[in-house]
Amino acid sequence: MEHALLILCALLVNAVFGGPRRLHEALGLGRLTRLPAHGVRDVERRLNRENRSSKARRIRGWIVVGFVVFSCIVFGRLLGWIFQGNMQAGEVALLAFLLPFRSSLDTAGAIRKELRAHHLNAARQVLEHTAWRHHPKLDDHGLARAAIEILAVHFSEKIVAPVLFYILFGLPGFFVSRMVYIMQETLVRPTESEQAFGYGARKLHYLLHYIPARVTALLWICAAIFIPSATIGDSASQISKGLLGESPQDIALLSASSVLHVGLGGPMSAYMHEGWVGPGTARIGDADIKRAMRAYVLLHVLLFCLIGLFI
């Protein structure tokens, strides 16, 4: 009950004070939030050497995963002890800083703004320092898909999963969920050698985010009731087909594409390296980003209601 109330307050604080994006970057807060990913990349460069066998790389990858999870648990318990009693406002502030509700929404909004002005290079620049490593090659449709995919994946991986883990396990659960996602995003690559090192991160990410991804899919189905362009029966049918064996990020893209009727994924996607998902066209634009942003806000309202069940 206490954790549910604190995380609800943190989401509200982030929604009100979590932007704008340019101010955060000017203050250096964006660089601060990227430090964990930079640390993981530095460790990978040291341990994932080309002269090592796939087995050796996989073992080293598991060691990194184990160390990171253990560190998150210890660090979370330490902070939980510090914030107990009259210091809960500090815990709310920390959670609000780490939850990317406003930052993800501002990123999509910035891409939409630049696309409406036909500033492709400026829109590509918005994706710098994100998982979209090939953003300089994206056209206007690819940029629109990137904006929608960021909203879909971030809601599932950076909002729903950490929120559920925090409600159940407190700060240790929150930090484990966030770092497992960061490791999955940073270490998992399409090449064979990098797959070996990122195997542990990929497996743990799949296991820990299995239930949160399905909860997110259910929230998308509920959101379809309030979205005029969505057909709840068709959306539920399409989403249900991918609930069993798909990865958390695949389910996030499938849910968004089914409800919004857009095509996502493709070879340039940061989250789905091959294949397309969704019944709609992939030739989408700024109007589709606007619909996705509205759905993103609606999803958070539904998440607030879900959190309320734990209070």
Side-chain angles (χ1 to χ4, degrees):
M1 175 178 176
E2 179 181 338
H3 287 160
L5 183 60
L6 291 178
I7 199 71
L8 183 60
C9 292
L11 285 168
L12 292 174
V13 169
N14 182 276
V16 177
F17 300 105
R21 176 176 172 271
R22 289 184 177 179
L23 176 61
H24 278 199
E25 290 295 336
L27 294 175
L29 299 179
R31 290 191 296 271
L32 185 61
T33 57
R34 292 192 290 268
L35 284 179
H38 291 325
V40 172
R41 291 192 184 98
D42 289 339
V43 172
E44 180 189 14
R45 281 193 289 267
R46 294 173 182 272
L47 298 181
N48 192 22
R49 302 293 178 86
E50 294 183 359
N51 60 336
R52 294 189 175 120
S53 65
S54 295
K55 181 179 179 180
R57 291 177 178 181
R58 181 173 295 191
I59 292 173
R60 283 167 171 77
W62 272 113
I63 292 174
V64 171
V65 169
F67 176 78
V68 169
V69 170
F70 177 77
S71 300
C72 287
I73 294 174
V74 173
F75 185 62
R77 289 182 67 86
L78 176 61
L79 284 181
W81 176 75
I82 294 175
F83 288 137
Q84 66 182 351
N86 297 324
M87 293 290 292
Q88 289 183 332
E91 187 168 341
V92 171
L94 176 64
L95 293 171
F97 174 71
L98 294 175
L99 290 169
F101 163 66
R102 183 69 180 273
S103 63
S104 299
L105 191 66
D106 287 348
T107 297
I111 294 174
R112 177 176 179 264
K113 177 182 177 181
E114 301 299 345
L115 287 180
R116 291 189 67 188
H118 304 289
H119 297 157
L120 287 185
N121 288 332
R124 293 168 181 143
Q125 194 68 24
V126 175
L127 293 174
E128 192 175 9
H129 304 302
T130 69
W132 293 79
R133 299 174 181 85
H134 303 297
H135 63 273
K137 300 179 181 179
L138 295 175
D139 59 8
D140 53 343
H141 303 302
L143 289 165
R145 291 195 302 271
I148 296 176
E149 290 184 26
I150 285 173
L151 293 176
V153 172
H154 283 195
F155 177 68
S156 175
E157 305 278 87
K158 294 186 176 183
I159 299 292
V160 175
V163 163
L164 293 180
F165 274 92
Y166 177 76
I167 291 174
L168 295 175
F169 307 109
L171 285 175
F174 182 88
F175 288 131
V176 167
S177 176
R178 283 302 309 270
M179 282 305 301
V180 167
Y181 170 75
I182 289 174
M183 286 190 295
Q184 194 277 339
E185 185 178 72
T186 305
L187 299 179
V188 176
R189 303 284 192 276
T191 63
E192 181 179 354
S193 62
E194 292 170 324
Q195 277 184 351
F197 190 79
Y199 179 82
R202 183 171 67 252
K203 287 297 182 181
L204 186 60
H205 171 261
Y206 179 85
L207 292 174
L208 291 186
H209 287 211
Y210 185 89
I211 293 178
R214 275 77 187 164
V215 172
T216 303
L218 292 177
L219 290 175
W220 272 103
I221 293 174
C222 293
I225 300 174
F226 304 97
I227 299 177
S229 60
T231 305
I232 184 171
D234 293 341
S235 299
S237 176
Q238 293 163 9
I239 293 173
S240 63
K241 294 177 181 177
L243 287 182
L244 292 180
E246 299 293 336
S247 71
Q249 293 180 353
D250 290 347
I251 291 177
L253 297 186
L254 175 63
S255 301
S257 64
S258 300
V259 173
L260 299 175
H261 295 287
V262 295
L264 299 176
M268 298 297 291
S269 173
Y271 306 114
M272 180 175 287
H273 299 296
E274 56 183 26
W276 295 87
V277 61
T281 177
R283 299 179 64 82
I284 58 179
D286 62 273
D288 298 289
I289 300 177
K290 184 178 181 179
R291 291 194 301 118
M293 292 173 65
R294 289 177 175 175
Y296 182 75
V297 174
L298 175 59
L299 286 168
H300 280 80
V301 173
L302 295 174
L303 180 61
F304 292 162
C305 297
L306 179 61
I307 296 173
L309 297 178
F310 295 91
I311 298 178

